């Protein structure tokens, strides 16, 4: 059954980005040309954006309760990130479409080769992209389901909580803490609020999964293209036993130069679309990790602690995957210069070597992604964020002990 579902997500015209583009279309990040469908998705986006605003309003009403405030804070910040991702994606849609089309075109061109080594590399990276896409979707919706069933689980598992709710000394646990213009403490009002909150959680989860997995797969593509360029630049002049003719060698050299120029151009465009989001993402994740870690230490219910831990794992995974793949691109970019030097350049005349030097100068341009103008997205940056989150956690813990 799962195999059939995964097969339907594939698109022969987009062998690398097939499931990711379909997810973007399904959740309305890539707006359809049909006017009715387009405005339907815009309405859905507006409703979730309004819901995120009500989460901020609710902060005022729960500010006296530290537990409720922290719970509201971690989910509100994640929802804010979702809204910002979608808003920027819609505003910069033409740039995102051009990036997606470039990735698709370049990927298809490489798949036309008969080189077994390159085909094997493409197959390996495609399988890897499917794994991170489907695993990320699974992790996200596990988190969404946990958020949605948490109130039901607490009501069923805790007799004390049920009695407190019935006698009015405690309130219903919300799916997502948010303000509504009606009383949430009666059954009808609570159910109505829960439906709206569940809709926002599901749709927000769709936003996050479609945006993040698309961005991650594009990062993987840049790494794959850099590795393919290294292979091609190694074979510019053929092998030592079978050297290729002048015209063929020059054609390969020019093709490698053109492809790298194009890659750098679209990598910078991709970074300009992603960088502002990642800057805010780093701050949000630091606070979210700090808050979630603190909740785990003060939570006494084992199941609640497990659910909060799962949320923490999701928060760490989100940022780590971005930093890991950007780090891979950086290393592939640094290693690309070795390609021309691994060719049989020493058998060629000075004229060829000059042309090869121009290619090396082009390859010397570093491809890496950033979080604003302050830092690069690397594993080292991720570790620094964890250190910062731990510092905030320590400060919060000490302030509560006083």
């Amino acid at each position: 059954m799962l195999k059939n579902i995964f097969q339907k997500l594939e698109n022969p015209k987009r062998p690398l980005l097939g499931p990711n583009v379909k997810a973007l279309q399904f959740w309305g990040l890539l707006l359809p040309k049909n006017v009715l469908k387009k405005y339907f998705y815009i309405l859905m986006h507006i409703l979730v954006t309004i819901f995120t605003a009500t989460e901020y309003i609710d902060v005022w009403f729960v500010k006296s309760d530290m537990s409720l405030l922290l719970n509201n804070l971690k989910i509100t910040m994640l929802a804010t990130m979702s809204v910002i991702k979608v808003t920027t994606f819609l505003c910069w849609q033409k740039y995102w479409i051009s990036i997606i089309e470039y990735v698709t075109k370049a990927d298809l061109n490489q798949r036309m080769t008969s080189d077994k080594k390159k085909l094997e590399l493409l197959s390996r990276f495609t399988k890897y992209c499917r794994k991170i896409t489907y695993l990320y979707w699974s992790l996200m919706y596990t988190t969404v389901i946990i958020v949605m069933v948490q109130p039901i689980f607490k009501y069923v598992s805790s007799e004390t909580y049920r009695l407190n709710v019935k006698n009015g000394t405690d309130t219903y646990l919300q799916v997502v803490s948010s303000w509504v213009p009606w009383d949430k403490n009666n059954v009808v009002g609570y159910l109505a609020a829960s439906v709206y909150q569940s809709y926002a959680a599901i749709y927000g989860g769709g936003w996050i999964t479609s945006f993040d997995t698309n961005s991650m797969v594009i990062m993987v593509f840049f790494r794959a293209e850099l590795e393919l360029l290294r292979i091609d630049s190694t074979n510019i002049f053929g092998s030592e036993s079978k050297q290729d003719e002048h015209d063929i060698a020059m054609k390969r050299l020019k093709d490698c130069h053109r492809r790298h120029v194009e890659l750098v151009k679209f990598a910078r465009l991709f970074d300009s679309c992603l960088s502002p989001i990642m800057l805010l993402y780093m701050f949000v994740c630091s606070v979210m990790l700090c808050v979630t870690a603190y909740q785990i230490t003060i939570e006494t219910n084992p199941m609640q602690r497990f659910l909060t831990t799962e949320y923490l794992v999701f928060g760490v995974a989100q940022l780590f995957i971005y930093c890991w793949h950007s780090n891979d691109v950086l290393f592939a970019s640094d290693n690309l210069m070795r390609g021309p030097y691994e060719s049989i350049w020493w058998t060629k005349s000075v004229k060829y070597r000059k042309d090869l030097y121009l290619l090396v100068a082009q390859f010397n341009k570093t491809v890496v992604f950033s979080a604003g103008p302050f830092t690069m997205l690397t594993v080292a940056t991720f570790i620094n964020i964890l250190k910062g989150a731990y510092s905030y956690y320590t400060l919060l813990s000490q302030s509560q002990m006083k």
Side-chain angles (χ1 to χ4, degrees):
M1 182 180 174
L2 281 175
K3 189 176 181 181
N4 291 333
I5 294 172
F6 292 152
Q7 195 61 41
K8 288 181 180 179
L9 292 171
E10 296 295 335
N11 184 350
K13 294 181 180 180
R14 299 184 188 274
L16 186 69
L17 282 172
N20 306 97
V21 171
K22 285 192 176 181
L24 290 171
Q25 292 170 339
F26 181 80
W27 294 108
L29 274 75
L30 283 176
L31 293 172
K33 293 181 180 179
N34 183 286
V35 177
L36 290 176
K37 288 183 178 179
K38 181 178 179 180
Y39 284 108
F40 168 76
Y41 277 119
I42 290 173
L43 175 62
M44 298 284 275
H45 297 331
I46 291 171
L47 288 174
V48 178
T49 304
I50 291 171
F51 176 80
T52 303
T54 66
E55 291 183 272
Y56 280 99
I57 296 171
D58 196 61
V59 170
W60 174 260
F61 294 100
V62 300
K63 64 182 185 296
S64 57
D65 189 322
M66 178 58 73
S67 179
L68 289 175
L69 179 62
L70 292 177
N71 196 55
N72 178 296
L73 187 63
K74 70 177 185 181
I75 296 178
T76 299
M77 296 190 81
L78 188 61
T80 303
M81 279 306 311
S82 300
V83 170
I84 291 171
K85 285 177 183 179
V86 172
T87 303
T88 57
F89 196 96
L90 294 176
C91 291
W92 301 333
Q93 184 135 139
K94 65 177 181 179
Y95 302 122
W96 279 106
I97 290 173
S98 66
I99 293 166
I100 290 169
E101 292 306 320
Y102 158 70
V103 170
T104 302
K105 180 183 175 183
D107 180 56
L108 286 171
N109 287 339
Q110 291 305 307
R111 289 175 191 272
M112 294 171 65
T113 184
S114 57
D115 188 325
K116 290 183 178 179
K117 186 178 179 181
K118 291 172 68 177
L119 289 172
E120 185 181 338
L121 187 144
L122 285 165
S123 176
R124 178 162 55 86
F125 276 112
T126 303
K127 289 177 181 177
Y128 176 74
C129 288
R130 294 297 179 270
K131 286 178 182 177
I132 61 169
T133 296
Y134 297 141
L135 285 174
Y136 193 85
W137 289 1
S138 301
L139 182 60
M140 177 69 235
Y141 276 100
T142 299
T143 306
V144 169
I145 290 168
I146 285 173
V147 169
M148 289 171 62
V149 303
Q150 199 169 344
I152 301 170
F153 176 80
K154 186 174 182 179
Y155 190 84
V156 172
S157 63
S158 176
E159 186 178 352
T160 305
Y161 171 69
R162 286 199 303 271
L163 292 173
N164 289 341
V165 170
K166 288 177 182 177
N167 61 32
T169 57
D170 205 346
T171 58
Y172 290 105
L173 179 64
Q174 298 179 70
V175 174
V176 179
S177 182
S178 66
W179 173 84
V180 289
W182 62 76
D183 185 9
K184 294 183 290 185
N185 294 322
N186 61 65
V187 176
V188 176
Y190 174 72
L191 290 175
S194 296
V195 169
Y196 187 30
Q197 291 165 359
S198 298
Y199 152 75
I202 294 169
Y203 209 80
W207 280 357
I208 294 173
T209 52
S210 56
F211 182 95
D212 285 351
T213 53
N214 178 66
S215 300
M216 291 167 190
V217 171
I218 289 174
M219 284 182 173
V220 174
F221 160 79
F222 282 118
R223 178 194 168 186
E225 182 69 4
L226 287 166
E227 291 194 15
L228 290 168
L229 267 171
R230 180 176 174 178
I231 293 171
D232 288 339
S233 59
T234 301
N235 298 324
I236 284 176
F237 304 116
S239 62
E240 195 170 353
S241 59
K242 186 183 177 182
Q243 297 185 22
D244 291 319
E245 296 178 1
H246 170 78
D247 291 343
I248 295 174
M250 294 309 296
K251 183 181 178 182
R252 286 175 181 166
L253 194 146
K254 290 176 182 178
D255 184 61
C256 286
H257 188 277
R258 177 192 58 79
R259 281 168 57 196
H260 193 263
V261 168
E262 203 171 21
L263 184 147
V264 171
K265 172 188 171 183
F266 281 97
R268 288 176 178 173
L269 179 60
F270 175 71
D271 188 48
S272 68
C273 292
L274 193 66
S275 181
I277 298 168
M278 294 312 302
L279 178 62
L280 184 60
Y281 213 13
M282 288 171 61
F283 170 73
V284 168
C285 279
S286 297
V287 176
M288 191 175 72
L289 296 180
C290 161
V291 169
T292 310
Y294 176 73
Q295 283 187 307
I296 292 171
T297 58
I298 64 172
E299 185 59 61
T300 55
N301 187 305
M303 183 54 73
Q304 287 292 118
R305 183 174 290 182
F306 168 76
L307 298 177
T308 307
T309 302
E310 196 281 336
Y311 194 91
L312 177 65
V313 170
F314 173 69
V316 172
Q318 274 188 300
L319 188 59
F320 174 73
I321 294 173
Y322 273 109
C323 292
W324 179 268
H325 290 110
S326 179
N327 200 78
D328 279 348
V329 172
L330 175 61
F331 275 94
S333 178
D334 289 342
N335 289 332
L336 179 60
M337 280 182 60
R338 297 182 182 182
Y341 292 113
E342 290 169 348
S343 68
I344 53 170
W345 60 270
W346 68 88
T347 64
K348 298 299 177 182
S349 64
V350 175
K351 179 183 177 182
Y352 284 101
R353 294 179 190 180
K354 286 181 178 179
D355 290 332
L356 198 66
Y357 181 75
L358 292 174
L359 181 63
V360 171
Q362 173 62 34
F363 283 179
N364 194 36
K365 294 179 180 179
T366 302
V367 179
V368 67
F369 307 113
S370 60
F374 303 108
T375 185
M376 294 187 297
L377 279 177
T378 61
V379 173
T381 303
F382 172 75
I383 293 170
N384 288 332
I385 291 168
L386 290 185
K387 288 179 180 177
Y390 180 75
S391 299
Y392 302 148
Y393 159 74
T394 305
L395 185 64
L396 183 61
S397 299
Q398 290 177 349
S399 66
Q400 291 303 304
M401 289 172 65
K402 293 178 181 179

